[in-house]
Amino acid sequence: MMDLKKIAAHLDPMCGTPVFLHMEVNPGAYIRNAMVTLERYHVRGQGVYRIYLQFADQQGILHMDDVTEARVEDGRVLFVGYDEMERIARTLVISSQPLSMGRNGEKGDA
């Protein structure tokens, strides 16, 4: 179960500010360090959650279903969804700082 109060405590101060997103859907799709201004968000559900992010100035929205876990690490909010075989099927990271672009934390080596 997600601690929605803890998630809100980290996302609320990010509203109205630029954030960096990393989203991955397995197999085969990801976006890394997309910078947007987070306007508002919703986390809904019980056991399995939906994440909705709205971005300022009509930059767009992001909607992710079937999220099963969330945590805060190093000031980043991480959402994860597992498939029926308990493999990671989707991830979403929201951070006020860009994520590393390289392997093992090295910049420039994607």
Side-chain angles (χ1 to χ4, degrees):
M1 185 148 194
M2 274 189 218
D3 184 345
L4 297 179
K5 289 181 183 180
K6 184 175 183 179
I7 299 302
H10 284 82
L11 287 178
D12 286 349
M14 292 181 176
C15 288
T17 67
V19 296
F20 294 88
L21 301 179
H22 169 76
M23 185 178 84
E24 189 165 347
V25 179
N26 291 320
Y30 73 92
I31 186 167
R32 190 164 186 90
N33 285 333
M35 190 172 79
V36 296
T37 300
L38 182 62
E39 185 170 289
R40 66 182 202 199
Y41 69 92
H42 299 286
V43 179
R44 300 280 194 265
Q46 195 169 29
V48 177
Y49 297 84
R50 290 182 314 277
I51 311 301
Y52 173 87
L53 307 177
Q54 182 176 341
F55 310 122
D57 301 323
Q58 297 184 4
Q59 291 174 310
I61 61 170
L62 186 146
H63 177 95
M64 182 180 278
D65 286 326
D66 301 325
V67 173
T68 54
E69 182 180 312
R71 61 184 177 272
V72 176
E73 290 181 1
D74 300 323
R76 298 175 178 154
V77 180
L78 295 86
F79 295 98
V80 180
Y82 294 92
D83 67 12
E84 63 280 350
M85 295 173 55
E86 296 186 26
R87 298 175 298 190
I88 294 176
R90 61 195 50 75
T91 59
L92 172 63
V93 179
I94 306 167
S95 175
S96 58
Q97 299 296 316
L99 296 147
S100 168
M101 291 297 286
R103 294 182 212 142
N104 300 322
E106 298 174 16
K107 292 189 176 196
D109 184 18

